[in-house]
Amino acid sequence: MKTILLAGGAGYIGSHTAVELISSGYDVVIADNYSNSCPEAVKRIEEITGKSVKAYEVDIKDKAKLETVFKENKLDAVIHFAGLKAVGESVAKPVLYYRNNIDTTLTLLECMQEYGVKNIIFSSSATVYGEENPVPYTEQMQRGTCTNPYGWTKVMMEQILEDAAKADKELSVVLLRYFNPIGAHESGKIGEDPQGIPNNLMPYVAQVAVGRREKLTIFGNDYDTPDGTCRRDYIHVVDLAKGHVKAIDYVLSHDGVEIFNLGTGTPYSVTEIVDTFEKVNDMKINHVYGDRRPGDLPESYANADKALNVLGWKTEKTLADMCRDTWNWQKNNPNGYNK
């Protein structure tokens, strides 16, 4: 049985990926400092899967502590979820983001090299396509110009991993470029639990629905889109997690670097998200329109043909599923993991 280290594995995407990997017959080890997550998520993973999960409270930048994880486990691959991810915060605290996100990557690679682990999957982002590339985005496009330090850390980490693979012909790297993950596990036991004010649309909608926030502000309704609001490629987090299982199967049998978009290929507007959430959950979301936010693109969505053709992966869940599962998580966990 193969053992996979999930760096940052107690977070939103990491926890769902842990469930899918365990369900597919892999052993997982989680290393997380819980800065963007919670130990309760590990307990919930165990409840869903019926399996015990080895978890370490470790800052991935702390090489001495991370080495303990590598020493105590025979690892076959690493999935790198660890990192700070709030765009606005990255603009206000760029040094923090560059230090944290890049250091985690370098420390992981150093430990992998020292302990002979030759396979890594990196959770990258569609933000690396920047503003210059036309939609839909394909993996063959050049990385673009990012509008914030968070995006630049993703660009830099992709480059670091590509250079490492050039230097070590045995190293296998898969870069997964996520689009906009939303939703939650159908059990309602794990889901997105942002710290403080949510930076993303769906958790904000859910917190308005549960009464934690007064109203949703939709930033801009005068874009060149069908209803004037921004359109994004929203993907159910469980579909995204299953993409990691396919990527693990791939990374264990190939060398070099491959890039895959993980998205649905279908953009939905902010208004469509709110309308669908209201319809499937039979409620009203108090919302108003505000000014555009700097740096927001009118549209962003994937061409995910490569993931289908090479990995045999495609999304299965609908926008209605995403909205229904989000509310199921939020209503059962009104304060997130802090009951």
Side-chain angles (χ1 to χ4, degrees), residues 42-234:
V42 179
K43 296 178 184 176
R44 304 285 185 89
I45 293 166
E46 292 177 329
E47 288 176 20
I48 293 168
T49 62
K51 301 284 181 66
S52 62
V53 175
K54 190 182 287 189
Y56 295 79
E57 185 169 355
V58 174
D59 188 323
I60 305 301
K61 301 191 302 296
D62 187 334
K63 188 175 180 185
K65 289 187 177 179
L66 188 60
E67 281 185 328
T68 300
V69 179
F70 278 79
K71 285 176 186 174
E72 293 182 359
N73 300 276
K74 186 180 183 304
L75 301 172
D76 295 285
V78 172
I79 304 182
H80 180 13
F81 297 107
L84 300 173
K85 61 178 185 176
V87 169
E89 184 183 54
S90 80
V91 174
K93 301 176 180 178
V95 174
L96 173 67
Y97 270 66
Y98 287 119
R99 168 68 74 189
N100 184 84
N101 290 5
I102 293 170
D103 268 10
T104 58
T105 304
L106 294 173
T107 305
L108 271 172
L109 282 170
E110 286 173 352
C111 286
M112 288 174 62
Q113 187 173 37
E114 289 170 22
Y115 290 89
V117 181
K118 295 295 186 179
N119 307 292
I120 183 168
I121 293 171
F122 174 56
S123 58
S124 191
S125 167
T127 191
V128 303
Y129 290 111
E131 298 181 319
E132 301 92 336
N133 288 304
V135 290
Y137 300 131
T138 66
E139 295 88 347
Q140 293 75 31
M141 291 175 173
Q142 294 291 315
R143 288 184 286 251
T145 302
C146 294
T147 58
N148 56 78
Y150 161 74
W152 279 117
T153 66
K154 292 294 188 184
V155 169
M156 292 174 185
M157 288 185 283
E158 282 197 3
Q159 187 65 55
I160 289 166
L161 288 159
E162 288 180 355
D163 289 343
K166 286 177 187 173
D168 181 354
K169 299 306 181 185
E170 294 181 354
L171 187 62
S172 179
V173 176
V174 169
L175 308 175
L176 297 181
R177 291 176 177 169
Y178 306 161
F179 280 71
N180 295 74
I182 59 175
H185 192 268
E186 62 183 6
S187 67
K189 290 182 181 292
I190 57 174
E192 189 167 10
D193 184 22
Q195 310 296 307
I197 299 172
N199 293 291
N200 297 323
L201 173 63
M202 188 59 95
Y204 207 107
V205 170
Q207 290 191 12
V208 172
V210 85
R212 285 174 63 182
R213 307 283 166 193
E214 178 191 356
K215 63 187 176 186
L216 169 72
T217 299
I218 297 174
F219 298 108
N221 62 347
D222 58 351
Y223 286 96
D224 186 17
T225 60
D227 63 22
T229 61
C230 290
R231 300 206 305 166
R232 297 288 181 267
D233 189 335
Y234 294 95

